[in-house]
Amino acid sequence: MLLNTKPRADLLLPGLLFCVTVLAAQSRAYAAEPVAATTEEIFLNDIPVVLSATRLEQPRADAPASITIIDREMIKASGAEEVPDLLRLVPGFQLAHDKQDIWIPDPVGATYHGLSDPYARRIQVLVDGRSVYDPAIGGIRWDQLPLEIDDIERIEVIRGPNGAAYGANAFLAAVNIITRHPADVPTVYTRLVSGSNNYVKGIARYSHKSESFDYRFGVSVQSDDGLETEYDSSTMVKSNFRGEYRTDNGDILELQLGFSGGPHQAGIAGTELERNTSNTSNFQQIVWRRSLDVDESYQVQYYRNYFSANDRFSITGFPVIDQGMVTERNNVEFQHTKRWGDTLRTVWGLEARQDTSEAPEGWFYGIDKVENDLYRAFINAEWSYSPTLVANFGGMFEHNGITGAGFSPRAAINYHLSDQNTLRASVSQGLRTPSLFEEYANGRADYLGTTPTYSFVSPGGLEAERITSYELGLVSKSKNSKVVADVRIYQDYIDNLIDYPEDASNPPLGPQYTYVNQGKASIHGVELDINYQPTRSSRFVFAYAYADQTGSYPRRFNPDEIRPTDPATPTHTASLLAMQKLTRTVSASVGIYYVGRMGWFNNLSPAPPYTVGEIPEYTKVDLRLAKRLRGKNFKGIIELVGQNLAGSYYDYTSSVPQDRRIYIKLRIGAD
């Protein structure tokens, strides 16, 4: 907060004008609004179909991995404003909220089983099959995604390595965000939000449907004063487009575009580190699909991701500190899917990618551009040996310019004990390629303009992190299908863990951190995912994870000085989302989220006792009340959402409290 300049009107005004224009069109649009088709029933049957585990459409009971599905009803009931907040509903996930800091200004991180700093590098995130993993720093820039909660149809989260389907960096987990098809949304839609800390958001979306071409276009504007005592106000403008064209011969051509950007404050309040920065990002994605028949199809996809940060400032002794960066990813992929008779299905493909980053005055001092070229080949097969036995086999071979060649295999057997119960046993291996910064880091600033001083450095030649995972699972449903449960028992072994031990002899900027492959960890535990719907008006979704993690990584830049990784994983995490329709027009939901005591790598003490820097266990409670509004030519929803109602807590560091927040939301054209 601590605002000395308000959000820029030149960014807010165009978005708000668009919202007002769309609002004015509501009454005309809804008089002729048809009932939108929906794919939700397909994916939310007793044991739903999933897409993400193998790239094949499969019943959840036939998939080779544990999968959590966050559907539209859960998304709305959660009351979440941030996309990563939805991952609290997944067993074993943790979130970190930071202020806009001096290093890597990005306020939200999400990880699975801990073992991370806030820029979680060990999960892969895709949006409609497009990886949004940041190749420069690693992790996900959640606040930069040109995506709103309203755009999401569902989220599929594969818990465990999924390198066989999505390659390196689908290491501990993979998140596939599937957005809403233009044919499944209202023609005109607007959402307005007002909340604590001067939080204001306006969203407007227009869609068009025809025999051969469907599209939707949306824009949002958000302004937020941030945390009470911090210099971290921000303004963000986002827009996205998704269009689908169907040819006479049945081909499908899909185009997606997105943009996000805006100014934000960063640094430490009341110091010379206070400064104004800005980020922009955009993407382009085009997909061509051809189905030869119901048993065979082809797909070609190209996408480009672009990110730019402007963050150049000076402090006493350092006339120039440049945290600016430009990052680009270009990716092309071919995929072929075929059914070979009644018992065998395969999907295979090829992929080529180039990642580049430019930050020659800060992150990669003295290097004009760093890059990594990657080539992949993958195959996954589902073999239905009998009505009760299904086997999944697959693997991804890849070669990149940092670690060379690598292979990520997986094998799984699913045995149907009955129509209600399926046992699963699987083994998989995965890789995590070092980010460009981990491999080429040369974070330098010149003291008094002449003396080089380094923050992060890398000797280069890092190896890929490796994981081997063993899993037993049970997918079960009751005879009346009111209860669906997924149980996972697992053992993970991780080697070559990359970390950045410190060298304290680096005045005056502070310690120097050097990237090395000297860590290892072992995690075993149990996870439970239960969906219970006793009546049509009541639903309960419960998730629980127990994780026992042990391991070590360097204390300082010396392999003989190590510290334990144990504090970096909470032993217990849990969530409960309860949804209730009180009347035909009024509904309520409560979300309760618990995370046990843990620490993030960069906050934990490098010296005994190693638990210094941990955050205490916390419980987060959210409440949503909603009422549907209907008129002759009008429909909508008004919502009251309270977050963190159990009181303030810390999910990253004790200097950044998460306080109570209240939001009032109005949806016009809600489905």
Side-chain angles (χ1 to χ4, degrees):
M1 194 181 287
L2 295 178
L3 215 64
N4 51 22
T5 58
K6 289 296 181 183
R8 290 169 48 191
D10 61 326
L11 288 175
L12 281 170
L13 189 58
L16 291 177
L17 285 175
F18 184 65
C19 293
V20 171
T21 302
V22 172
L23 271 169
Q26 295 287 346
S27 59
R28 296 192 302 272
Y30 283 112
E33 175 72 33
V35 177
T38 178
T39 59
E40 190 166 288
E41 292 183 0
I42 298 174
F43 294 97
L44 301 181
N45 283 330
D46 300 338
I47 294 188
V49 170
V50 293
L51 305 173
S52 306
T54 61
R55 299 180 180 235
L56 293 167
E57 293 186 8
Q58 297 175 294
R60 189 174 178 181
D62 289 345
S66 289
I67 303 174
T68 294
I69 301 171
I70 304 172
D71 58 55
R72 283 285 302 160
E73 184 179 37
M74 295 168 64
I75 293 170
K76 290 187 286 188
S78 72
E81 279 295 304
E82 298 174 340
V83 174
D85 258 345
L86 297 171
L87 298 179
R88 296 184 189 273
L89 297 165
V90 182
F93 264 78
Q94 300 86 42
L95 263 65
H97 286 82
D98 193 11
K99 60 186 176 181
Q100 300 279 4
D101 205 352
I102 182 173
W103 304 116
I104 322 177
D106 198 348
V108 184
T111 189
Y112 179 62
H113 291 165
L115 287 176
S116 180
D117 59 20
Y119 314 102
R121 301 172 180 87
R122 297 178 179 92
I123 64 170
Q124 177 65 275
V125 177
L126 304 104
V127 179
D128 293 329
R130 174 179 62 90
S131 172
V132 295
Y133 188 93
D134 179 11
I137 304 300
I140 312 300
R141 296 185 182 271
W142 290 103
D143 63 329
Q144 290 292 315
L145 294 184
L147 179 72
E148 294 290 347
I149 292 277
D150 314 67
D151 300 325
I152 300 174
E153 179 66 33
R154 69 187 184 281
I155 301 174
E156 297 179 2
V157 182
I158 290 80
R159 292 177 280 120
N162 201 27
Y166 297 109
N169 304 328
F171 192 75
L172 292 176
V175 178
N176 191 12
I177 300 172
I178 300 164
T179 67
R180 308 196 70 187
H181 190 279
D184 296 336
V185 299
T187 299
V188 183
Y189 171 85
T190 301
R191 179 162 70 95
L192 304 174
V193 184
S194 178
S196 304
N197 295 341
N198 290 328
Y199 182 94
V200 178
K201 177 182 281 189
I203 299 173
R205 184 178 65 214
Y206 176 78
S207 69
H208 174 78
K209 313 164 186 69
S210 67
E211 183 176 344
S212 60
F213 184 51
D214 303 332
Y215 70 87
R216 60 170 170 81
F217 171 74
V219 63
S220 68
V221 184
Q222 174 184 316
S223 176
D224 186 1
D225 281 0
L227 300 171
E228 186 68 31
T229 60
E230 301 297 338
Y231 191 75
D232 64 345
S233 298
S234 64
T235 298
M236 180 68 72
V237 176
K238 298 182 179 182
S239 63
N240 59 57
F241 172 88
R242 178 176 174 180
E244 181 181 282
Y245 176 71
R246 297 171 293 278
T247 65
D248 293 339
N249 66 356
D251 287 6
I252 295 175
L253 188 65
E254 182 177 300
L255 174 66
Q256 293 201 47
L257 308 169
F259 166 86
S260 68
H264 60 80
Q265 298 171 331
I268 302 174
T271 74
E272 61 182 340
L273 291 173
E274 282 189 0
R275 63 197 191 278
N276 295 315
T277 68
S278 63
N279 294 336
T280 61
S281 65
N282 61 71
F283 81 90
Q284 302 82 39
Q285 179 181 15
I286 186 167
V287 183
W288 170 78
R289 300 184 183 94
R290 168 169 289 184
S291 295
L292 302 183
D293 51 45
V294 295
D295 294 328
E296 187 173 10
S297 63
Y298 296 91
Q299 174 178 298
V300 177
Q301 172 181 256
Y302 166 79
Y303 68 82
R304 171 185 176 269
N305 297 336
Y306 175 88
F307 170 77
S308 174
N310 179 14
D311 188 9
R312 186 181 177 95
F313 59 102
S314 63
I315 59 176
T316 301
F318 291 89
V320 176
I321 296 179
D322 193 342
Q323 299 295 313
M325 175 181 290
V326 174
T327 301
E328 185 173 339
R329 165 171 288 180
N330 285 274
N331 193 101
V332 62
E333 178 186 277
F334 167 82
Q335 179 176 301
H336 175 234
T337 305
K338 183 175 177 62
R339 177 183 292 275
W340 307 80
D342 295 332
T343 61
L344 180 64
R345 292 192 300 155
T346 61
V347 55
W348 69 275
L350 303 171
E351 184 175 0
R353 172 184 298 170
Q354 183 179 71
D355 294 327
T356 63
S357 186
E358 299 177 48
E361 294 188 57
W363 301 99
F364 310 108
Y365 192 94
I367 307 174
D368 290 337
K369 179 187 289 187
V370 296
E371 64 181 46
N372 183 29
D373 295 335
L374 176 146
Y375 303 94
R376 287 172 168 167
F378 63 88
I379 185 168
N380 285 279
E382 178 197 80
W383 178 36
S384 299
Y385 176 76
S386 71
T388 60
L389 191 64
V390 177
N392 285 274
F393 303 98
M396 171 87 72
F397 174 82
E398 50 193 308
H399 185 281
N400 68 80
I402 294 177
T403 61
F407 183 60
S408 301
R410 177 174 57 199
I413 300 292
N414 293 40
Y415 181 68
H416 300 299
L417 300 171
S418 65
D419 290 341
Q420 286 77 43
N421 300 289
T422 299
L423 283 175
R424 178 185 63 251
S426 69
V427 58
S428 59
Q429 292 184 324
L431 306 169
R432 184 181 81 84
T433 303
S435 69
L436 292 172
F437 186 62
E438 288 171 317
E439 176 67 11
Y440 299 109
N442 192 26
R444 169 178 160 176
D446 292 342
Y447 182 59
L448 299 178
T450 58
T451 305
T453 306
Y454 299 91
S455 53
F456 286 82
V457 297
S458 174
L462 293 177
E463 298 179 14
E465 295 183 345
R466 299 181 180 276
I467 184 172
T468 300
S469 180
Y470 302 93
E471 177 181 318
L472 292 175
L474 172 67
V475 178
S476 180
K477 68 173 181 177
S478 62
K479 287 188 177 181
N480 58 11
S481 299
K482 292 184 176 181
V483 180
V484 177
D486 183 296
V487 181
R488 177 180 185 241
I489 303 172
Y490 65 92
Q491 172 71 70
D492 294 343
Y493 298 100
I494 302 172
D495 292 313
N496 288 342
L497 195 67
I498 298 172
D499 190 50
Y500 40 91
E502 69 177 54
D503 178 357
S505 59
N506 185 42
L509 192 61
Q512 175 179 299
Y513 300 91
T514 304
Y515 286 104
V516 294
N517 276 115
Q518 294 178 358
K520 60 182 179 180
S522 171
I523 316 173
H524 69 268
V526 179
E527 295 177 346
L528 182 62
D529 193 350
I530 298 177
N531 194 323
Y532 173 47
Q533 187 158 7
T535 67
R536 292 180 63 88
S537 60
S538 302
R539 184 181 175 193
F540 303 88
V541 180
F542 175 72
Y544 170 75
Y546 166 79
D548 184 3
Q549 184 261 116
T550 59
S552 64
Y553 62 118
R555 172 185 169 189
R556 300 191 186 279
F557 192 51
N558 182 337
D560 297 326
E561 295 187 70
I562 62 172
R563 54 177 169 167
T565 59
D566 309 28
T569 299
T571 303
H572 304 281
T573 61
S575 68
L576 173 65
L577 181 61
M579 297 161 273
Q580 179 67 49
K581 294 180 181 177
L582 303 177
T583 69
R584 291 187 63 184
T585 60
V586 179
S587 62
S589 55
V590 177
I592 304 172
Y593 311 93
Y594 171 81
V595 177
R597 188 177 183 90
M598 69 168 291
W600 298 81
F601 273 158
N602 56 314
N603 289 336
L604 291 171
S605 171
Y610 297 108
T611 56
V612 173
E614 283 186 338
I615 53 172
E617 64 179 3
Y618 66 87
T619 300
K620 169 182 166 68
V621 178
D622 298 345
L623 172 67
R624 174 183 179 263
L625 296 172
K627 178 175 174 55
R628 285 193 172 272
L629 308 172
R630 283 191 176 273
K632 183 177 180 181
N633 297 316
F634 170 89
K635 60 181 179 180
I637 299 176
I638 188 167
E639 303 169 74
L640 176 64
V641 175
Q643 294 183 347
N644 311 332
L645 299 182
S648 298
Y649 66 92
Y650 305 94
D651 62 7
Y652 171 60
T653 173
S654 58
S655 65
V656 184
Q658 301 302 308
D659 297 326
R660 289 188 182 94
R661 284 201 164 198
I662 304 297
Y663 300 94
I664 297 175
K665 309 179 184 183
L666 176 63
R667 301 173 187 259
I668 308 297
D671 51 356

